[in-house]
């Protein structure tokens, strides 16, 4: 007795979504606990102190670091204060007009768009928790992030790209900051949700941690859920952060080995 035929002209057929559902796979073919493909290129710009081009699936972010540089203002001219003020981390977030996957192609102003300003503030808080700003008194570090493609999880991708750009610039940090999202999609807890899954409704929570310290520096949820549901989503997101950390750590080690080889004159470093 033959079963239903797939993609045949006659008889019953199964759609691709049905096949994925029967196989416990998501619509893009990933398992529930599987993150999207992560592609990283550190030192992609020659004019900045540090840079990183990072892609999580179809979401791509370019991060650039300038500094440390002299911080001008009242704090610098205040010589009566014996203690040196610590440095500051300034984060700006922009988006290319062609980045959204929807038909909306309006250019968003990073200085006025509420959503970009809110996410830039979250980025500053998450990354500022790890940067050792007291080692840069009366100095500022400028981190610029630009979203080139947005297929969901842009906050997580921006945190990961910003972390690697800061490391590429030689900025002292307590630990790497790794981010990943998780969500409850059709009563199934999934890691690293994309735009289609986010638009389907349900609980979505981006999480950022310092993996070697086991510290959560960011956990944002804008949906209502039970305590058990939030705990399951948070646990899945932290597992995703650990998977991202392993890839990022390997990239940092590879970048360090290239720089050490270049220092000894064995290779030549160039941007691609």
């Amino acid at each position: 007795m033959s079963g239903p035929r797939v993609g045949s002209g006659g008889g019953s057929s199964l759609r691709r979504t049905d096949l994925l559902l029967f196989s416990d796979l998501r619509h893009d073919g990933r398992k529930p606990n599987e993150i999207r493909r992560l592609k990283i290129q550190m030192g992609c710009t020659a004019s900045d102190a540090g840079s990183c081009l990072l892609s999580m699936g179809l979401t791509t972010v370019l991060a650039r670091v300038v500094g440390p540089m002299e911080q001008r203002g009242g704090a610098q001219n205040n010589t009566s204060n014996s203690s040196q003020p610590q440095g500051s981390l300034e984060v700006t977030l922009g988006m290319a007009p062609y980045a959204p996957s929807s038909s909306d192609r309006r250019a968003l102003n990073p200085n006025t768009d509420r959503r970009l300003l809110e996410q830039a503030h979250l980025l500053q808080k998450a990354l500022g928790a790890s940067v050792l700003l007291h080692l840069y008194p009366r100095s500022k570090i400028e981190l610029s992030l630009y979203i080139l493609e947005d297929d969901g999880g842009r906050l997580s991708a921006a945190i990961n790209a910003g972390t690697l750009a800061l490391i590429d610039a030689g900025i002292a940090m307590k630990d790497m900051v790794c981010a990943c999202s998780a969500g409850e999609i059709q009563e199934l807890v999934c890691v690293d949700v994309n735009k289609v899954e986010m638009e389907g409704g349900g609980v979505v929570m981006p999480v950022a941690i310092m993996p070697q310290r086991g510290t959560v520096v960011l956990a944002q949820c804008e949906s209502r859920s039970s305590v058990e549901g939030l705990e399951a989503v948070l646990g899945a997101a932290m597992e995703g952060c650990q998977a991202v950390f392993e890839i990022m750590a390997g990239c940092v080690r590879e970048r360090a080995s290239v720089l050490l080889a270049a220092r000894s004159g064995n290779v030549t470093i160039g941007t691609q």
Side-chain angles (χ1 to χ4, degrees), residues 9-206:
S12 62
S13 62
L14 289 176
R15 296 180 301 174
R16 178 178 180 271
T17 55
D18 296 330
L19 287 174
L20 293 174
L21 181 62
F22 293 153
S23 303
D24 291 331
L25 298 176
R26 295 146 76 174
H27 80 283
D28 56 0
R30 288 184 293 150
K31 298 178 181 178
N33 60 345
E34 184 179 354
I35 65 174
R36 290 175 289 181
R37 183 180 180 184
L38 194 61
K39 295 189 293 183
I40 300 171
Q41 181 185 352
M42 297 179 66
C44 55
T45 61
S47 59
D48 301 306
S51 59
C52 177
L53 181 65
L54 181 142
S55 297
M56 295 184 71
L58 299 179
T59 300
T60 304
V61 178
L62 173 64
R64 303 169 57 202
V65 174
V66 178
M69 66 182 70
E70 182 182 7
Q71 184 176 11
R72 301 183 181 277
Q76 181 184 359
N77 299 326
N78 187 9
T79 58
S80 61
N81 190 358
S82 58
S83 62
Q84 291 184 340
Q86 68 175 11
S88 62
L89 176 64
E90 298 182 1
V91 180
T92 57
L93 179 64
M95 176 180 289
Y98 50 82
S101 57
S102 62
S103 59
D104 190 0
R105 292 294 186 268
R106 293 176 300 172
L108 301 179
N109 189 339
N111 297 320
T112 58
D113 185 75
R114 182 189 64 83
R115 191 62 176 174
L116 290 179
L117 289 174
E118 177 185 351
Q119 292 189 340
H121 178 72
L122 293 175
L123 286 163
Q124 194 277 333
K125 290 294 184 181
L127 297 173
S130 181
V131 177
L132 300 175
L133 293 174
H134 67 276
L135 298 180
Y136 307 99
R138 295 189 174 89
S139 302
K140 69 175 180 179
I141 302 169
E142 293 183 352
L143 173 61
S144 302
L145 299 126
Y146 203 61
I147 302 171
L148 303 178
E149 294 179 89
D150 183 13
D151 188 44
R154 68 185 187 187
L155 180 60
S156 301
I159 291 175
N160 296 330
T163 297
L164 293 174
L166 290 169
I167 293 176
D168 188 49
I171 303 300
M173 303 177 71
K174 300 175 186 176
D175 191 1
M176 298 176 67
V177 181
C178 305
C180 185
S181 63
E184 189 175 356
I185 311 300
Q186 296 180 352
E187 300 182 356
L188 183 65
V189 177
C190 299
V191 176
D192 193 12
V193 296
N194 56 26
K195 199 174 190 66
V196 174
E197 293 170 333
M198 293 176 63
E199 291 175 349
V203 178
V204 177
M205 177 186 297

